[in-house]
Every structure is written in C-alpha cells, then in structure tokens.
Amino acid sequence: MKIEKINRLNQKYFYYALILGVVLLVTVSSIFSYAKYQRIEDIKLVEGNINYKPYDFKMMAMYKSDDGTNYTEIDTLPESGYLINEEKSYCTINNVDKDNNARIYTNNGEHIIKNILKNEKCYLYFDNATTAKSIDELVNKLSKIAKIESPDFSKIATTDEGVYKERDGMYGGYSYYWRGASTTNYVKFGGYCWRIVRINGDGTMRLIYDGTTCHNNGEITTDSIVTNTAYNTNYNKSEYVGWTYTEGLQRPTNNNEGTDTSIKITLENWYNINLKSQETKIADGKFCNDRNVDSGYVWSSAPNGPLYYLEYKRLYINYVPILSCTSPDIYTLKIGLITADEVMYAGGKDDNNLSYYLYNGQNYWTMSPCNWDEINTWSNVFALNLNGNLSIWYVGNTYGMRPVINLKADTQILTGNGSIGNPYIIN
C-alpha cells in the first residue's frame, strides 16, 4: 500500500472536507433523530394484509368483534361492514406511553390512522358496524363506513360491494344502499324475511320481501314471490303504466284519484291480510312511478309512433340511476314495488346477474314505466326476468309480485347483525 504525504494545499482541502463531513454528519443525525419522533401523514388502510414501511409505525395487533364485547385477534383488516372502535383503539410511544394526539377512526368506508409518530405501536379494535339496537343507530354507523364514490353502473355487481351513500332526492338528506351479493341486509319482520334495499333520507328502512324464510344470494326460489299477477289487465293505452291512471291523461290530476292498477289492488289486499297488524311500525313510504317522457316525444294516450319514458334512456342508454322523482309521480303508500332505478343501485342492469341479492330465478315486476310499443299497441314497464336482468315487459304479462315496505326510523332492533344466520329481528 502506498502512503502519500499531504502537501499544504492538499492538507488545506482535507481540513475543509473534514469540517464539511462533520457538519453533514451532525445534520443527518439530527434529521434521523427528529424523524424518529416526527408526525407522519395520514395512513389509509385497505382491506386485506397490511403493508407498511417499518420506520412508519409498528402494528402490534388487531381485534374484531360482532357483539361489541368479545374481541378476537385477527391478522388481516376485516371485510367491509366493520368500523374502528375509537374509544378502545390506541397507539403507544415506545410501547409505554399512550399517544393522545393520535387519531384512529373510520370515515367514508376507509380506516384511517392520523397524526401518529414514527415507530409507534398501535392496537386496533374493529366493531361490526351492522350491529345496532335501532334503525337510527344503524344509520349513524353506516354514515362512517358507507362508500361515497359512485360505482360503475354500466356493470353488474356480482360480489358484496358493501354499502354506498347517495343523495336522496325524494326524502332529502342521504340514502344508504346495499349493492351486489350483500350479506348484511337480512331482516325478520312480521313473520317474514326481508332484504334491506336502502335506508331512505329520512331514516326509514326500505325492505323487499324475501319469503317465509331467508334465502342465500343466487338461490332460485318461488318463496320470495307472494303471487303472480298482471301489472295491469288493461294494456292498450299508454296511461296503463300508471300505479293509478285516468283515461286519456298522462297521470291523474291527484294521486289520490284515478283507477288503481291491477297489481296495486292485489298488493294492497296481500298487505291487509298479512301485515296490517304490524302497521304501527310501517312508515308511509314514498314510491316513484315516473311517467315523464323522454325529450323528443310527446305523450298521448295511443301514440301512432314510439314513446319512451325517462327511465328507458336513464337506465338502458346512460346507466345513470337516480333517487329522485317529480312530485306528481310520488305515491305515499304503506306498500309498493321496487323501482328500476333501485334495481340498478342494487347491482342489476340490462344484463344477466345471478349473484346479487335481488336475483331469485323468477320474473317479477318493478313499478317503473318504460315505453309504448307502437307495433303491438301496448304499454311496457320494467321487470326483472328469471336471470336477474332488468327487462322490458308488456303490462298484461303475468309475473311475480315482490312487496316493498318501509319501516319507521325509530323502530327497535331486538338482535342480529343483518347476516342470513343472524338477521335483524324486529318485533
């Protein structure tokens, strides 16, 4: 090894370099010392295995509970339907001192750890968000876990996509709707099983009949149909798509007037026999029978050409469902049918879907007008066919009737978490 003597010029630069190196060393050391305890940006956790950098924080343990009391340790983030228990969850500094500045919570369907120190150790406790003592309490929990982004309505929903939040144009406020192969929307009420379609903006809960027993997603069953009937035995005028109708008019001058459609009569007779005794818990729900025609068409009782209602363009061309309705087409009822818009929110469209919660392997009616068929000279409304497809059917067909009701917001839930094995029990 050759050792060279440093001349004075080189010796000068050597000292400069040495001083610079010491300064850099002190600076880097200070940065790392500060970084060890500095606050880091919010960490949004996703479902599945947790991936994080070891210098960010150390996740020590996660626990979840379905009853709010008994917790079991888990190694993956829980599936949708759980929220962080803010009172029980915490982070520690050096696994000794609790960090009171850290925030751990669930918002808009995301689990968030905020304002923590690097190298902290955190303990997360998750509660089943669908366990509640009342509908009001359930709404409060759903407001934290519901997804705020809109799904792609041009595609069917075949998996459990959880609960979404949407502005409610009929009730005001926000509605929370279940989408896809939902597993947390089972209700036992009045001696029957129901599926939650959505929580309306006023806090009432909209249910669709599921049968004398609860059925799995994808199950073919006639039990979820109370009877088969025509939507209307009158069919050769465009006003026959109405829930009530007046001959020669697009809609009655008042919803309390006009002739009842055939299915309305049959449905209300079923209600009076089977649910009238439970009426104190059933709200006066708002049901949309949208008879506004699409632009470019003029309504008439027996058009010479085609006539399309707004639902057709909205759902068959643009794939944009809505939760609003013009006031002349809103019926206040104890019992009605699902709308075509609600079918699309739930995960259906003009394509087969054998997996989502509205599929039952049967043909059954919605209460949404579709169009006038000028060739056959009859009216059409939307229905679900035996493949779960949102289809167009002439009102004189004999299809299934699947009742829809709304429970009052203050209705008490005796037990359950909404699963098929542990449905909400409402007495």
Side-chain angles (χ1 to χ4, degrees):
M1 179 183 296
K2 184 178 180 181
I3 301 177
E4 293 184 354
K5 181 180 179 181
I6 301 176
N7 60 33
R8 291 189 176 183
L9 181 60
N10 289 339
Q11 189 176 21
K12 177 181 179 182
Y13 288 132
F14 174 78
Y15 288 137
Y16 287 158
L18 181 61
I19 293 171
L20 180 60
V22 170
V23 171
L24 287 174
L25 182 61
V26 171
T27 302
V28 171
S29 177
S30 299
I31 290 174
F32 275 102
S33 297
Y34 173 73
K36 181 178 180 181
Y37 295 106
Q38 74 179 32
R39 298 284 169 184
I40 63 174
E41 64 183 21
D42 300 1
I43 299 174
K44 295 181 180 180
L45 308 177
V46 297
E47 294 177 15
N49 294 318
I50 298 177
N51 296 314
Y52 60 90
K53 296 177 181 179
Y55 54 77
D56 283 340
F57 70 103
K58 289 179 167 56
M59 183 68 69
M60 290 300 294
M62 297 185 298
Y63 308 86
K64 77 172 184 178
S65 172
D66 286 323
D67 59 12
T69 302
N70 301 301
Y71 288 84
T72 57
E73 189 169 4
I74 55 176
D75 55 9
T76 61
L77 278 171
E79 62 273 17
S80 61
Y82 287 83
L83 56 83
I84 290 176
N85 185 317
E86 296 182 34
E87 293 182 358
K88 290 185 67 68
S89 299
Y90 64 96
C91 292
T92 64
I93 304 171
N94 297 323
N95 204 29
V96 176
D97 300 321
K98 185 176 180 180
D99 184 0
N100 294 319
N101 292 313
R103 287 195 60 204
I104 310 171
Y105 60 100
T106 302
N107 186 48
N108 295 329
E110 293 180 330
H111 303 310
I112 300 172
I113 299 179
K114 183 177 183 179
N115 200 36
I116 66 172
L117 297 168
K118 290 186 176 182
N119 290 318
E120 285 205 28
K121 301 175 183 179
C122 299
Y123 299 81
L124 305 187
Y125 290 82
F126 294 89
D127 290 333
N128 190 322
T130 59
T131 301
K133 298 296 184 182
S134 67
I135 294 177
D136 285 333
E137 183 183 341
L138 179 61
V139 172
N140 182 55
K141 289 185 174 182
L142 290 178
S143 67
K144 299 177 182 179
I145 68 166
K147 303 174 184 177
I148 58 174
E149 74 278 7
S150 293
D152 185 351
F153 292 114
S154 68
K155 298 178 181 178
I156 60 175
T158 59
T159 61
D160 186 355
E161 294 190 5
V163 179
Y164 287 81
K165 181 179 181 179
E166 178 73 19
R167 286 195 175 274
D168 194 330
M170 282 203 300
Y171 287 91
Y174 289 94
S175 180
Y176 299 93
Y177 65 91
W178 278 251
R179 180 170 169 83
S182 300
T183 57
T184 59
N185 64 342
Y186 289 89
V187 172
K188 281 287 190 71
F189 171 71
Y192 303 104
C193 189
W194 306 78
R195 303 296 290 270
I196 307 172
V197 176
R198 62 186 177 108
I199 306 291
N200 303 311
D202 66 346
T204 55
M205 178 186 284
R206 192 181 296 266
L207 307 176
I208 188 167
Y209 183 82
D210 196 41
T212 55
T213 60
C214 296
H215 300 283
N216 287 301
N217 297 319
E219 182 178 345
I220 298 174
T221 173
T222 58
D223 183 45
S224 55
I225 300 296
V226 297
T227 191
N228 290 285
T229 181
Y231 184 90
N232 200 341
T233 53
N234 295 321
Y235 60 85
N236 59 350
K237 292 182 180 179
S238 58
E239 58 261 35
Y240 294 147
V241 299
W243 196 244
T244 61
Y245 61 92
T246 299
E247 298 284 351
L249 296 179
Q250 185 173 353
R251 56 176 65 85
T253 54
N254 187 305
N255 279 343
N256 295 321
E257 301 175 354
T259 303
D260 289 348
T261 305
S262 304
I263 197 169
K264 181 178 185 292
I265 297 171
T266 306
L267 185 63
E268 290 176 351
N269 285 339
W270 182 88
Y271 174 87
N272 289 330
I273 295 171
N274 296 278
L275 289 178
K276 188 73 174 178
S277 62
Q278 302 289 331
E279 194 164 88
T280 57
K281 299 182 182 69
I282 299 174
D284 294 322
K286 295 181 180 181
F287 292 85
C288 184
N289 179 227
D290 190 353
R291 283 161 290 190
N292 290 298
V293 297
D294 192 12
S295 59
Y297 299 95
V298 177
W299 188 91
S300 68
S301 180
N304 294 322
L307 174 69
Y308 288 92
Y309 294 92
L310 284 176
E311 288 97 331
Y312 180 86
K313 183 176 182 179
R314 187 165 67 238
L315 304 179
Y316 259 43
I317 297 175
N318 295 332
Y319 301 110
V320 181
I322 59 174
L323 292 178
S324 60
C325 189
T326 54
S327 57
D329 292 327
I330 297 176
Y331 286 83
T332 301
L333 306 165
K334 289 294 186 182
I335 192 165
L337 299 177
I338 197 168
T339 67
D341 290 271
E342 287 171 333
V343 170
M344 186 162 283
Y345 277 111
K349 60 181 290 285
D350 55 337
D351 198 2
N352 295 343
N353 188 347
L354 310 183
S355 302
Y356 72 139
Y357 75 90
L358 290 179
Y359 168 78
N360 64 359
Q362 308 299 318
N363 300 309
Y364 62 95
W365 295 109
T366 78
M367 61 184 296
S368 298
C370 182
N371 72 307
W372 165 259
D373 186 334
E374 78 280 9
I375 297 175
N376 294 299
T377 62
W378 62 42
S379 289
N380 293 319
V381 299
F382 283 104
L384 275 81
N385 69 17
L386 50 83
N387 292 313
N389 188 321
L390 188 60
S391 304
I392 302 168
W393 295 100
Y394 120 85
V395 295
N397 277 328
T398 300
Y399 280 164
M401 186 175 73
R402 198 170 179 185
V404 172
I405 60 173
N406 298 273
L407 297 181
K408 294 179 178 179
D410 60 358
T411 300
Q412 297 300 299
I413 299 172
L414 296 182
T415 186
N417 61 17
S419 64
I420 188 171
N422 191 18
Y424 297 118
I425 304 295
I426 295 172
N427 193 357

